[in-house]
């Protein structure tokens, strides 16, 4: 096997002793291998094989994810640039990251739990996904810094005037019941947060990011293989353990990236009458393709939303929308402009 890449890694353990390791990539007859080697004090080496296969892209996804795990555990490379990414962020973005890091490490868990409960109720009453109401990141920031006024709320990254106006009063009602030992502005965070804590947190963020990318890559591969074999959504659900809704979202992403998904779309639409498909297409032409609810109500009536068949009907709309966007180049913004001009 020919080694095509290797980097020396090291860290200091809790007892102050240095530990060394290597991460390596090798190739032999078109097969890529990726591994980690711990160098023991007695000179022995303990190997972990991370990947063996023919896909360079998959190997890179595995490399980034597994290496991020090791970096999160305290290992540092002798040669920088192990992820082959642009320079780390600086300025305002780094400031926001440090505030986020502090909030996740030192947040008030009881307040965070209350904020999450508030979000669930708000999402349910508005029939929205919870992340549309507020992200985990925003709730973490509120729970850590406990703002008491709207001015303080607006100093938290991710909270603008619109969010503060919409939810600020309810957030402040919750935070007003909690004592705090810190103050605004938040300049003190940069001294309170140790650099090693921040760096370890950054690598944990990378670990989550690269794990998600690896899972996304593997899901795409399974889906593309299934589509080529003529698999249905139900069969893909069994192969990927994803919900039908998640599979449709992946299908939309594949279409955006230029993959041919029409075999699966046709298979799923075979049971949908031609006249019904034409009615849906016409509704997209008249209402645009940004929002599905108006199209659902136009085609199936106001009473269709909230029934036992609603999810099935939305599936049909999403499948036909893929075809519609393909035929129009996905240019719903032009349709929106035209509707505004007519109005």
């Amino acid at each position: 096997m020919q080694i095509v890449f290797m980097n020396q890694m090291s860290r200091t353990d809790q007892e102050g002793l240095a530990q060394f390791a290597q991460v390596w990539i090798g190739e032999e007859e078109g097969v890529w291998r990726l591994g980690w080697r711990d160098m023991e004090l007695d000179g022995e080496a303990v190997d972990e094989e991370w990947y063996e296969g023919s896909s360079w892209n998959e190997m890179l996804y595995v490399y980034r994810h597994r290496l991020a795990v090791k970096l999160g555990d305290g290992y540092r490379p002798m040669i920088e640039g192990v992820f082959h990414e642009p320079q780390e962020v600086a300025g305002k973005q780094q400031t926001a990251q440090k505030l986020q890091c502090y909030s996740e490490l030192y947040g008030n868990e009881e307040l965070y739990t209350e904020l999450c409960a508030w979000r669930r109720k708000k999402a349910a009453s508005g029939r929205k996904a919870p992340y549309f109401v507020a992200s985990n990141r925003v709730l973490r920031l509120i729970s850590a810094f406990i703002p008491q006024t709207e001015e303080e709320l607006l100093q938290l990254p991710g909270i603008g005037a619109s969010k503060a106006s919409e939810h600020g009063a309810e957030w402040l009602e919750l935070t007003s019941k909690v004592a705090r030992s810190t103050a605004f502005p938040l300049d003190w965070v940069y001294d309170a947060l140790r650099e090693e804590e921040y760096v370890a947190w950054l690598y944990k963020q990378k670990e989550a990011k690269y794990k998600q990318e690896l899972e996304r890559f593997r899901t795409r591969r399974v889906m593309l293989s299934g589509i080529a074999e003529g698999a249905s959504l139900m069969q893909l659900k069994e192969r990927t353990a994803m919900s039908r809704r998640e599979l449709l979202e992946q299908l939309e992403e594949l279409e955006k990236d230029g993959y041919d998904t029409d075999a699966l779309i046709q298979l799923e639409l075979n049971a949908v009458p031609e006249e019904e498909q034409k009615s849906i297409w016409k509704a997209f032409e008249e209402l645009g393709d940004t929002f599905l609810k108006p199209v659902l109500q136009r085609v199936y009536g106001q009473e269709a939303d909230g029934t036992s068949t609603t999810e099935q009907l939305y599936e049909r709309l999403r499948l036909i929308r893929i075809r519609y966007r393909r035929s129009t180049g996905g240019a719903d913004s032009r349709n929106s402009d035209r509707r505004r001009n007519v109005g």
Side-chain angles (χ1 to χ4, degrees), residues 5-10 20-25 35-39 45-48 50 67 70 75:
F5 170 80
M6 180 177 288
N7 204 337
Q8 303 291 330
M9 313 290 291
S10 65
F20 298 95
Q22 297 171 338
V23 60
W24 53 267
I25 297 172
W36 175 270
R37 178 172 297 136
D38 279 310
M39 310 303 295
V46 179
D47 289 312
E48 296 178 38
W50 290 352
L67 185 58
K70 293 295 186 181
Y75 281 98

Side-chain angles (χ1 to χ4, degrees), residues 150-161:
E150 185 171 321
E151 181 183 4
E152 290 179 347
L153 263 179
L154 291 171
Q155 293 180 49
L156 299 179
I159 299 181

Side-chain angles (χ1 to χ4, degrees), residues 119-120 122-133 166-167:
R119 179 175 60 180
R120 283 195 299 273
K122 202 75 175 177
S125 65
R127 302 192 67 177
K128 298 178 180 178
Y131 60 84
F132 278 126
V133 177
E166 185 177 9
H167 303 306

